Amino acid sequence: MTAPACCHINDVRAAAATIADHIVRTPLIAAPWSGGDLWLKAENLQPIGAFKIRGATNAIARLDPRARARGVVTHSSGNHGQAVAWAARWRGVPAVIVVPEGASAVKTAAIRQLGAEVVVVPAEDRAAAVDEFTARRRLTFVPPYDHLDVIAGQGTLALEVLDDLASIDTVLVPVGGGGLISGVGTVMSSLSPRTRVVGVESELAADARDSLVRGRRVSWDPALTSRTAADGTRATVVGELTFPIMRATVAEIVTVTEDEILAAVSALARRAHLVAEPSGALAVAAHLAGPSRYGRSVAVVSGGNIDPPVLARALCESMRKDHSLS
Amino acid sequence: MTAPACCHINDVRAAAATIADHIVRTPLIAAPWSGGDLWLKAENLQPIGAFKIRGATNAIARLDPRARARGVVTHSSGNHGQAVAWAARWRGVPAVIVVPEGASAVKTAAIRQLGAEVVVVPAEDRAAAVDEFTARRRLTFVPPYDHLDVIAGQGTLALEVLDDLASIDTVLVPVGGGGLISGVGTVMSSLSPRTRVVGVESELAADARDSLVRGRRVSWDPALTSRTAADGTRATVVGELTFPIMRATVAEIVTVTEDEILAAVSALARRAHLVAEPSGALAVAAHLAGPSRYGRSVAVVSGGNIDPPVLARALCESMRKDHSLS
C-alpha cells in the first residue's frame, strides 16, 4: 500500500520542521501494566492538551503572509478551537472561533483566554457563520481535519514514534474525521509499511468503520454519535480528503464500548499517571480489550481535556469493580 | 556555593550514562496556566511512577557483581520499595522488600508483581529486619535516600532539566529525606550556580526546613509527620549524607498547607493532564502560592502514585470551590 499523492511523507517531514519549536515532543511511555507489549504516545501533554495543536500550527504557519495578517476562522468548541486559538496567538494572527449555543462555558472561556474572538451561533448556523467570516473579513478557514496541512501536521507524531521505537506491529489511533489517522497512515505506509494502522471508534459512532467496510463515506446521524462520551470523535462522517488516504493506509477500524472507554480512562490515570479524555483513551481501550491481537503496539493518547466529574466517576467506578471482583 | 566532595557532578554524569536505557527521559512541560513562568519535570511518568527509580537503578548497577548476585534488601512500602523491586528485576537481582504491618495491600501487591520477596514485620522492627537480611543472607541494603549512588541517581533529572531549558531562576523540589534535592543541588551548584534550589515540605512535616534554619538535623515526631497527605515526604529527619549537601546547595525550604497540596493535585490533573500524588504536587503547590517569588521556574512533579479516591476527592473539592467563587 502506498499513500496517495495528496499527502506525501515529505509534507509531514516539512511540517515537523515547521512546528518543532512550538509543540511538545511528547514521550512514548511503556505500559507493561496493560498485559501486552504496549507503548503510549502521550499527546495529552501538548499545550491545550491534544494533538490538534500540530495540525493547526502547521496550517497557520503555511498561510501566505497576507492571508495570515487578515486572520483565521474555524468552528469548534473543543480541542480544534483551542488549537487554532493557540496557534494563531503564537503567530500574532487574529482568530475567530465559532461555537454553538450551549457549548461548555469552561471550554469557551479557555478559547477566549487564548486571545481568540468567540462568536456564539445556533448549532445549525455554524458553517454559514464561518462562510460569512471568510467572505466578509476574508479570514482563512482552518478546518478541523479535511485539509492537507492539517493532516501533515497531525502525522508528525508518527515520525516521533518511529524515532523512539523500532519494529512496531500495530499503531492504534482514535478516529473522528480522520485527520490524525490519515497523517499517521501516510507516515507508516512510507517508512514502516509492515506496521498495521488500526483506527478505533466508539461503537456508538462507528461511521468511519462503516465507511471503510463499504468503500464509500457513510454518515451517522448526530443523534446517534452524540451518545458517546468520546466527544472528540463525534464527527458524523470522515472527510473527503481523509477518506482516500484512510482507504490506502488503514488496515482496519475496530470499535469499543462506552464501559471499555471509561475503564481505559481510569487505567491511564491509575497506572500511567496520565489524564486522558474519553476520545483520548479510545486506542488504549481497544488494546486492553485484546492485547494479544496487536503484538508490539503503540496507542495514541490523543487528548486530556476531560471534565473533572467524568474523571472522578471513572476512577470511582473502577474502584467499585475492583472491590466486587475481590 | 560549591557541592561538598561527597557527591560530585561527575558522579551524577556517570549515573546518567548508567541508567539512560532503563528509565524514561521525562519531558519538561510548560505550565502557562499557572500564572507564572513555570515548567514541570514530569517524573510521575517513570515506570513505577516516581523519580525513585533513578537512584535505585544506579545503586544496584554499581554493586560489585558478587554482591549483586546475592541480592538487595530495603524497607519501604512506598515508591522506594517499588523502585528497588523494579531495578532488581531489570538486573536479575534477588530483592527483599520489608514492609510494615498494615501497609496498603495495593502497594504490597505491586511490589510482589515486580518479582520481589515481600516480608511483613511490625513497623518498629523494620530496621532490625533489614539488618538481619544483610547479616544472614548477605544482601546489600539500598537505602531510600542516604547513599551517594542514590543521590547521584536522583540528580540525573536535573541534568535533563538543564538540557531542556536555559536561564532557570528557581528549581522547586519536594523534600523528604533529602536524596532528590541533594542530587538536584549538586547539579545546579556545579552547572547553573545562579539557579536557586528551593525545597518544599508540607507544614505538617517541616523537619528539613527546621534543620536548615537551625544548622543541625532536627527530627519531627512521626505522630506529627504522619498527618500530611504527602506520604512520600514523611521522613522524620533528613539524612546524615544529604544534610551537608543540602546546606551547601539549597537556598531555602518553604512550606505549603494541606489544602494547597490537594489544590495542586487537582490543577495538575485538570490543566497539565498529569496525575500526581500529594508528595509529587508539593513543588507545584509552592509555585501556585506565589508565582512571582520564583521567576523562571521548574517544579519537579516527583511521583504519581495516588490512591484513586484521593484524586477523585481533590477534583471534586476544586470544582466545588470554583462554583462557590463564581
Side-chain angles (χ1 to χ4, degrees), chain B residues 291-306:
Chain B
S292 60
R293 290 188 55 191
Y294 301 112
R296 185 171 167 91
S297 310
V298 171
V300 178
V301 178
S302 55
N305 293 315
I306 189 172

Side-chain angles (χ1 to χ4, degrees), chain B residues 162-247:
Chain B
L162 290 177
D163 274 348
D164 288 352
L165 192 67
S167 305
I168 303 166
D169 295 317
T170 310
V171 177
L172 292 152
V173 185
V175 178
L180 175 58
I181 200 168
S182 294
V184 171
T186 299
V187 169
M188 292 298 164
S189 65
S190 172
L191 302 182
S192 183
R194 64 168 286 276
T195 302
R196 295 182 83 232
V197 177
V198 174
V200 187
E201 290 184 303
S202 164
E203 63 177 6
L204 300 183
D207 55 287
R209 180 206 53 193
D210 287 356
S211 300
L212 271 199
V213 168
R214 298 195 201 168
R216 59 177 177 82
R217 295 164 62 226
V218 174
S219 67
W220 278 41
D221 190 315
L224 296 176
T225 63
S226 66
R227 296 170 303 165
T228 178
D231 56 355
T233 61
R234 284 180 189 152
T236 55
V237 61
V238 296
E240 291 179 29
L241 290 175
T242 57
F243 183 58
I245 304 176
M246 291 169 64
R247 288 191 77 177

Side-chain angles (χ1 to χ4, degrees), chain B residues 4-314:
Chain B
C6 56
C7 183
H8 191 276
I9 181 67
N10 288 343
D11 300 331
V12 185
R13 287 197 170 114
T18 299
I19 69 178
D21 290 344
H22 307 282
I23 61 160
V24 171
R25 193 195 181 292
T26 54
L28 193 65
I29 300 169
W33 51 267
S34 67
D37 198 5
L38 177 64
W39 300 74
L40 310 172
K41 180 63 173 168
E43 286 294 299
N44 58 330
L45 302 183
Q46 292 293 354
I48 74 114
F51 74 95
K52 292 273 185 184
I53 200 168
R54 295 177 182 265
T57 301
N58 190 50
I60 289 177
R62 285 178 53 80
L63 291 177
D64 84 65
R66 277 177 302 183
R68 204 155 56 213
R70 288 194 301 269
V72 295
V73 60
T74 198
H75 56 79
S76 161
S77 58
N79 290 336
H80 178 62
Q82 284 195 51
V84 169
W86 191 93
R89 186 175 63 170
W90 157 57
R91 297 298 297 244
V93 172
V96 173
I97 314 294
V98 175
V99 306
E101 284 172 5
S104 142
V106 173
K107 289 188 175 173
T108 308
I111 293 171
R112 278 208 187 87
Q113 269 184 359
L114 289 166
E117 180 184 346
V118 173
V119 176
V120 182
V121 301
E124 63 274 21
D125 295 347
R126 279 177 294 178
V130 167
D131 288 347
E132 198 176 308
F133 278 106
T134 57
R136 291 241 297 248
R137 279 171 51 181
R138 298 180 67 209
L139 304 184
T140 303
F141 176 42
V142 180
Y145 48 86
D146 219 23
H147 189 291
L148 292 179
D149 295 335
V150 172
I151 295 168
Q154 321 301 32
T156 58
L157 73 82
L159 294 178
E160 297 172 6
V161 166
L162 290 177
D163 274 348
D164 288 352
L165 192 67
S167 305
I168 303 166
D169 295 317
T170 310
V171 177
L172 292 152
V173 185
V175 178
L180 175 58
I181 200 168
S182 294
V184 171
T186 299
V187 169
M188 292 298 164
S189 65
S190 172
L191 302 182
S192 183
R194 64 168 286 276
T195 302
R196 295 182 83 232
V197 177
V198 174
V200 187
E201 290 184 303
S202 164
E203 63 177 6
L204 300 183
D207 55 287
R209 180 206 53 193
D210 287 356
S211 300
L212 271 199
V213 168
R214 298 195 201 168
R216 59 177 177 82
R217 295 164 62 226
V218 174
S219 67
W220 278 41
D221 190 315
L224 296 176
T225 63
S226 66
R227 296 170 303 165
T228 178
D231 56 355
T233 61
R234 284 180 189 152
T236 55
V237 61
V238 296
E240 291 179 29
L241 290 175
T242 57
F243 183 58
I245 304 176
M246 291 169 64
R247 288 191 77 177
T249 65
V250 174
E252 68 172 322
I253 293 184
V254 299
T255 61
V256 292
T257 69
E258 296 294 301
D259 280 353
E260 287 170 339
I261 295 170
L262 290 182
V265 166
S266 174
L268 281 165
R270 296 169 67 181
R271 307 302 301 272
H273 312 112
L274 294 173
V275 173
E277 62 190 274
S279 312
L282 279 170
V284 171
H287 193 273
L288 294 178
S292 60
R293 290 188 55 191
Y294 301 112
R296 185 171 167 91
S297 310
V298 171
V300 178
V301 178
S302 55
N305 293 315
I306 189 172
D307 286 334
V310 177
L311 175 56
R313 210 177 313 130

